[in-house]
Amino acid sequence: MISRGSVLKYFLVIIQLLVGFNLRAQLIEADTIQAVQQLPEAEEEEIHSPRKATIYSAILPGLGQVYNKKYWKVPLIYIGFGTIGYFINWNNENYQLFRTGYRHLTDDNPETQDYLKIEAVRRNNYNLDNPSDFENLKTALSRQQDYYRRNRDLLIISIVGFYGLNIIDASVDAHLFDFDISDDLTLKWEPSMMNFDNNFVYCLNFRFNF
């Protein structure tokens, strides 16, 4: 027959075992939580950088637009550069033509007659032995070379401005890249009343959702 002392002894052993298992479970849980907390956090998604877009477009026009995923802008940028470059070259060729013609006209060397390459000079058939015709042609050549030189220089400035515009466009697009624009573009209207000079008038209220 089992005595009361033995039962109590067994009961205390069981309690000790339960307490031991409970403490062990708590320690394991604490170690697990600590291990989870010490795990490296997942790298956050990289924020779209306006700085990168600006630098990319400064290095190569259109590259910032590619970074912003505005691929349709790239052909427009190079068409713009190509168009401005074409007119820079065209104005420069005409400037050189009239500049050389003016120089040959005024150098007193009868063998240098590049001014005759100018169609307008041939068409007007200037009589260079006539002082009036000579001065008129000299003035015309001077004005034309100044005209084409001015156009060329302005276009060179404009291509620098266009380059800067390409950089600004990339930077602005990058700033707005994560901007949330709602698809709910609706117009709502409702009748209402307004107090105008102590008189109530009927009107309509319009509300746009962007």
Side-chain angles (χ1 to χ4, degrees):
M1 184 174 180
I2 301 175
S3 64
R4 290 183 179 180
S6 298
V7 172
L8 181 61
K9 183 177 180 181
Y10 290 136
F11 182 72
L12 291 175
V13 170
I14 292 171
I15 290 176
Q16 288 178 354
L17 290 174
L18 290 175
V19 171
F21 283 130
N22 187 35
L23 289 174
R24 181 175 177 81
Q26 289 180 356
L27 290 173
I28 292 173
E29 183 179 358
D31 291 340
T32 304
I33 294 174
Q34 185 177 3
V36 170
Q37 290 177 347
Q38 291 178 352
L39 288 175
E41 297 181 357
E43 295 184 359
E44 296 183 357
E45 184 179 355
E46 184 179 1
I47 299 175
H48 201 78
S49 172
R51 182 171 177 270
K52 284 184 179 181
T54 303
I55 293 174
Y56 290 162
S57 278
I59 295 173
L60 179 65
L63 190 58
Q65 283 72 15
V66 172
Y67 174 72
N68 293 331
K69 299 182 180 179
K70 295 293 182 69
Y71 307 107
W72 61 272
K73 290 186 177 182
V74 178
L76 298 180
I77 290 174
Y78 283 95
I79 288 173
F81 276 115
T83 301
I84 297 174
Y86 170 81
F87 283 107
I88 288 175
N89 181 68
W90 184 78
N91 280 278
N92 184 64
E93 287 180 350
N94 281 282
Y95 163 68
Q96 296 297 337
L97 177 63
F98 282 94
R99 180 172 177 270
T100 303
Y102 179 85
R103 190 173 67 249
H104 286 184
L105 180 68
T106 57
D107 64 3
D108 297 327
N109 184 354
E111 295 183 359
T112 55
Q113 298 181 346
D114 276 8
Y115 52 85
L116 295 177
K117 295 179 180 180
I118 302 172
E119 182 181 355
V121 174
R122 298 195 304 270
R123 185 172 60 248
N124 288 320
N125 194 22
Y126 287 94
N127 182 9
L128 299 183
D129 293 331
N130 186 333
S132 178
D133 281 0
F134 180 85
E135 286 300 321
N136 288 338
L137 178 58
K138 180 180 175 181
T139 301
L141 293 176
S142 177
R143 287 177 178 176
Q144 286 299 105
Q145 71 169 329
D146 290 343
Y147 170 79
Y148 287 111
R149 182 182 64 232
R150 182 172 60 253
N151 286 351
R152 181 200 62 186
D153 294 345
L154 288 175
L155 285 166
I156 291 174
I157 295 172
S158 71
I159 204 169
V160 174
F162 191 75
Y163 171 77
L165 184 63
N166 143 76
I167 297 174
I168 293 172
D169 174 76
S171 177
V172 171
D173 276 344
H175 277 95
L176 299 177
F177 186 83
D178 296 318
F179 187 74
D180 185 18
I181 301 177
S182 174
D183 293 332
D184 183 18
L185 302 176
T186 58
L187 168 66
K188 296 181 179 180
W189 64 275
E190 58 183 6
S192 64
M193 296 185 67
M194 291 182 57
N195 189 343
F196 184 73
D197 289 340
N198 295 323
N199 293 318
F200 287 98
V201 295
Y202 290 98
C203 62
L204 293 175
N205 283 338
F206 293 90
R207 183 174 61 187
F208 291 94
N209 290 332
F210 295 97

